[in-house]
Amino acid sequence: MLLTTIVVVIAVALVFDYTNGFHDAANAIATSVATRALSPRVALAMAAVMNLVGAFLGTEVASTVGSGIIEAPQGMEGLSVVLAALLGAIVWNLVTWWFGLPSSSSHALIGGLVGAATASAGTVKWSGVLEKVLVPMVLSPVVGFVLAGLVMIALLWIFRRGNPARLTRGFRVAQTVSAAAMALGHGLQDAQKTMGVIVLALIVGGYHQGTDIPWWVVLISAGALSLGTYAGGWRIMRTLGRRIIDLDPPRGFAAELTASAVLYTTAFVFAAPISTTQTITSSILGVGATKRLSAVRWNVAGNIAVAWVVTLPAAALSAALAFWAIHPLLT
């Protein structure tokens, strides 16, 4: 029964990873598709490959998710917590995907872990949640917005005397590189979150010790995320690529360059599981504001911000309800 439940939890974790991929595919390629730097299918294929590669570049974020958010009990009780957390995160991913809202899969998973642990009267490591989740959740959009604006202003000044048509062609080519960098950062950040949850399930089930990530966990997590990315998230892609602002290639390049830099820094330096969605969206807002404030559709940005704020408690509530439903069946 214990081993069967572990296998079920791993399978559900991979389902979450897949939904994470198609939910967040827009993060990597929406700007490139919107500016016609890449065709949608070519962009998705490139993003899927770079997601796969990025997942093998580090495991620091996985360790944070697996051991720095909650302390799950051993045995079936702990597996109930992990399974409920994943179900809550999947539900919220599907709800926000349906409405085309670029919410955070990362925060959905973390909210699910907190909600399920709370429902089970387990231990939530609030200091870890504050330091690794809440502080980066507030700071990363601000950093993305300001830094993207500064990068765009620098590009405008450097190329102020350039030929507009030639610059547009050049930045479309440059966006191929920046979109690949963004997809690499997405794989680096988001695949690790699923790795962390799978290792947590193995630990509470008694099949693993320590926080090291087995190679097969890296492989299956990377594969599920990559497949989900290739499936595409067209609803959210339209929101990021066209509904916030009509992007041009220079602004698309600046947004992707900034967002990927933030993703790499938080993963390698701080081991913080930040939201790729928040990072790219705030970067798009930052480059859009350099055009003129009225160019940004702030009502759409406001809806996205509401989804950001609601994600943690909504996923936590979904996970708590899932725990109360499945706990009697598993224990």
Side-chain angles (χ1 to χ4, degrees), residues 218-278:
V218 177
L219 184 62
I220 62 175
S221 299
L225 182 71
S226 184
L227 288 173
T229 298
Y230 188 69
W234 302 107
R235 293 173 184 266
I236 295 173
M237 203 175 299
R238 284 192 289 270
T239 300
L240 282 179
R242 298 195 178 277
R243 290 180 60 201
I244 296 176
I245 184 175
D246 293 321
L247 286 168
D248 53 29
R251 284 181 170 80
F253 171 77
E256 290 170 342
L257 182 67
T258 301
S260 57
V262 174
L263 291 176
Y264 297 146
T265 302
T266 51
F268 289 125
V269 178
F270 301 107
I274 70 163
S275 167
T276 55
T277 306
Q278 284 187 343

Side-chain angles (χ1 to χ4, degrees), residues 151-220:
V151 169
M152 191 63 227
I153 291 170
L155 291 177
L156 290 170
W157 187 83
I158 293 169
F159 297 104
R160 64 191 184 280
R161 302 185 192 282
N163 179 279
R166 186 177 300 171
L167 286 174
T168 297
R169 289 194 298 271
F171 275 107
R172 279 203 176 109
V173 174
Q175 267 200 280
T176 304
V177 178
S178 61
M182 181 68 203
L184 192 73
H186 179 238
L188 172 66
Q189 274 279 349
D190 283 34
Q192 288 194 56
K193 291 148 194 170
T194 301
M195 296 176 205
V197 172
I198 291 176
V199 168
L200 177 61
L202 293 173
I203 291 172
V204 300
Y207 282 83
H208 188 72
Q209 292 182 343
T211 57
D212 293 338
I213 312 298
W215 67 268
W216 61 270
V217 173
V218 177
L219 184 62
I220 62 175

